[in-house]
Amino acid sequence: MNFTAAEESHCGSERKSHHSDEMKKNLQTRLNRIEGQVRGIKGMIEKDTYCDDVITQIAATQSALNSVSKLLLEGHMKSCIVDRIQEGDLEVVDELLVTMKRLMKK
């Protein structure tokens, strides 16, 4: 299937996002921090840190990941979902519902 340049940059065509550079930097910063938190948890386990302290750090890391998910979901809904609905692609609503169910399982 051949896409025009405009279609190729669209979320749904090749399933790529189109985040601003500012948003990408924000997400990367958050994910780098989360990566550090996970390494810290691993270190806590290696040092036999008290279980409750480790669990607290795991909860903080899960919260940080949830924040990243919320930012991505908001951007997805405001851009990709809106664009695809405006183009008449209503199947995207079912896709969004599956994604939201997946997020709500947590």
Side-chain angles (χ1 to χ4, degrees), residues 33-46:
R33 193 175 308 125
I34 291 165
E35 185 177 26
Q37 287 176 295
V38 171
R39 280 194 305 272
I41 292 167
K42 182 180 176 186
M44 292 173 81
I45 298 292
E46 290 169 356

Side-chain angles (χ1 to χ4, degrees), residues 1 8 25 43 52 60 79 94 102:
M1 189 179 267
E8 286 181 356
K25 185 176 180 181
D52 191 57
S79 61
D94 291 330
R102 200 175 316 129

